[in-house]
Amino acid sequence: GGIGAAHAAMLAQNALVLGSILYLLFRQCRSPLHLAMLVGFGGLGLLWKVVQGIAFDDPGRIIAYGRPLDEWNALFQYSSSVTQFFWVPNHALPGWWLGALLILLARRRIDVAAVGVTIGLAVLWSPLAILGAVALLALLAATRLHAVLRDRRTWAGALAAVGFLPGALYVSVAAGTIDYGSPATKPGFLAWYLAFAVLQLAAGLFALLHRERIEPALRVLFLGALAFLVVLPFGSFGPNNDLVMRASIPALLVVGFVFGAVVIDLGRDRPREAALGIAIALLGLAPAVVEIARAVLAPRFAISDCDLVEASRALGDLGAPANYMARRDRVPAWLVGEAVPTRPPPRAVACWPDLRMPDPTR
C-alpha cells in the first residue's frame, strides 16, 4: 500500500493499543479525574527552565522549539506521559501496559504468571521498558513467594517464557557495543542528581509523605517503584542514556497512579494539603501542554521513505546506530537464516527535504 498506508496502519495500531491501556486503567481509577491526572503526569522541570531563563535573561531557554520540556537535566530524563506517547510510543505503550498489569497484580486481580508471560511478549517490542517491570514483578512475587511457588500457573508461565528466549538473545546480541556505564563518574553528577530527584519525583515524595492515604494493596508496589526511580539514574545505557528514559516508564505509571489517588483522597477532608498536590500536578502538566501545542501549531514535516540507516546518516551519524543494529556476524547462525538479501547501495536522497539537516562532514 505504500508509505502512506504504513503510516495509517501504525496510527491505527497505536490508537488501538493506547485506547485499550487507557480503558484498562480507567477501570482501575477512582474517577475520570484520576485518569486525567495520570495522562497529564510529569515532573517539575518547568521550574528549572524558568530559573534558567531568568538567570540567563533568555526566555528562549524555557521552551526550546522542537524539543521536549522534559529535556532539562544534562545527565538523565524521566519523560512525562504525553512526551512518552508523542516521541516514543514503541516504548511507552508496552511500558504502560505492563504498569497497568502490575497494579492489577498488586490488587490480586491477576497472577504473577500473567505478568511474566506478558513481559516475555514485550521483549522484542521494548527491551528497555520491560526492565522496570521485571524489577517490580520480582518484588511483588517476593512478598507472596510461598503462594507463587505453589501455583501451577507460575510454572506453566515459566515454561511458556522459555519460548521467548530466542527473542531475548536476539535483542541482546552485541549489546557491549552500546555505550554504557554510570553517570556518577561525570563532573557535577551530585548536583544534577539531587535536582533531578527533587523535581522529577516531587509527586512521589508528596505521596510518600501521605503514605497513610495510599491504598494498602498498592503500598509495596509504590515504594518499590519510587525506590527504583531513585536508584535508576546511577546507571547508563544507550545514546542519551536511554536506560533511564525507558526503564522508568512502568514505575512512573505506578507513582503517577498512586499520586493521583492520594490527591483526590486528600481533597475530601484536607483541602489545604491537597492544594499542594494539585499545584504539583498542574506544574507537571506543562510538558503535556507544550507537546500538544507543538503538534497543533507547528508545521508538519513531509513523510519520509528513508530506512533506518539512511535516516541516521541524514542526521549526521555516519555509522550504524548500535542501539538498533548489530553486525550480522555477531548473530548466532541458528538464530538468523542464511538467505539474507544484500543491502543495496545508499541512495542519494534527502530524508526530510523541508527540514534543514546538519552537514555530516563538519
Side-chain angles (χ1 to χ4, degrees):
I3 190 70
H7 276 258
M10 180 172 288
L11 173 62
Q13 167 197 277
N14 290 351
L16 176 62
V17 178
L18 178 59
S20 300
I21 292 170
L22 294 180
Y23 174 76
L24 179 62
L25 286 169
F26 180 68
R27 296 294 301 271
Q28 309 307 312
C29 286
R30 297 192 173 193
S31 66
L33 176 61
H34 188 186
L35 180 62
M37 292 179 67
L38 184 59
V39 172
F41 181 71
L44 307 187
L46 176 65
L47 296 179
W48 180 276
K49 301 285 281 187
V50 169
V51 171
Q52 191 180 48
I54 295 173
F56 288 91
D57 194 22
D58 181 9
R61 287 177 177 265
I62 298 176
I63 299 178
Y65 180 78
R67 301 307 305 173
L69 191 60
D70 297 300
E71 288 185 350
W72 63 271
N73 192 287
L75 299 179
F76 10 69
Q77 176 188 154
Y78 283 159
S79 303
S80 62
S81 301
V82 173
T83 299
Q84 294 171 19
F85 294 145
F86 280 26
W87 287 80
V88 286
N90 54 312
H91 298 294
L93 295 177
W96 272 57
W97 183 255
L98 289 168
L101 293 186
L102 287 167
I103 293 171
L104 287 171
L105 175 62
R107 289 175 165 173
R108 298 181 182 268
R109 295 178 183 175
I110 58 175
D111 57 18
V112 167
V115 182
V117 172
T118 307
I119 289 174
L121 283 165
V123 165
L124 280 174
W125 200 352
S126 178
L128 291 181
I130 69 172
L131 294 179
V134 169
L136 295 177
L137 174 62
L139 173 65
L140 291 179
T143 62
R144 58 189 83 164
L145 186 59
H146 186 260
V148 168
L149 293 179
R150 291 187 60 186
D151 190 345
R152 293 181 180 180
R153 282 176 53 84
T154 301
W155 300 105
L159 182 62
V162 173
F164 299 110
L165 288 179
L169 177 61
Y170 177 78
V171 298
S172 62
V173 165
T177 61
I178 303 174
D179 292 337
Y180 66 93
S182 174
T185 59
K186 296 184 178 181
F189 170 82
L190 183 60
W192 280 117
Y193 173 77
L194 292 176
F196 183 77
V198 171
L199 295 179
Q200 292 300 132
L201 300 180
L205 296 175
F206 178 86
L208 184 63
L209 290 174
H210 298 87
R211 53 189 173 276
E212 74 281 356
R213 299 287 181 136
I214 298 176
E215 179 184 337
L218 298 181
R219 286 175 184 170
V220 170
L221 178 61
F222 167 77
L223 292 173
L226 189 60
F228 181 80
L229 293 172
V230 168
V231 173
L232 186 59
F234 286 88
S236 176
F237 184 81
N240 303 313
N241 202 343
D242 280 352
L243 172 69
V244 171
M245 286 191 285
R246 315 309 180 212
S248 59
I249 294 174
L252 286 172
L253 173 71
V254 171
V255 170
F257 186 92
V258 171
F259 168 73
V262 167
V263 172
I264 291 173
D265 190 55
L266 285 171
R268 295 170 179 169
D269 56 2
R270 295 187 184 178
R272 291 185 178 180
E273 295 181 31
L276 176 58
I278 293 171
I280 292 174
L282 291 175
L283 286 171
L285 188 62
V289 173
V290 171
E291 292 303 321
I292 294 172
R294 182 187 297 118
V296 173
L297 301 175
R300 307 292 191 273
F301 296 125
I303 291 178
S304 171
D305 67 345
C306 287
D307 63 25
L308 176 63
V309 174
E310 291 170 333
S312 181
R313 288 176 177 170
L315 292 169
D317 185 1
L318 299 181
N323 57 322
Y324 284 105
M325 303 180 70
R327 290 182 57 86
R328 191 176 180 281
D329 56 18
R330 300 289 296 272
V331 184
W334 62 267
L335 191 58
V336 177
E338 295 297 329
V340 177
T342 302
R343 177 173 173 76
R347 300 180 298 166
V349 59
C351 292
W352 300 276
D354 52 352
L355 178 64
R356 188 175 180 180
M357 305 304 298
D359 184 352
T361 63
R362 294 183 179 179

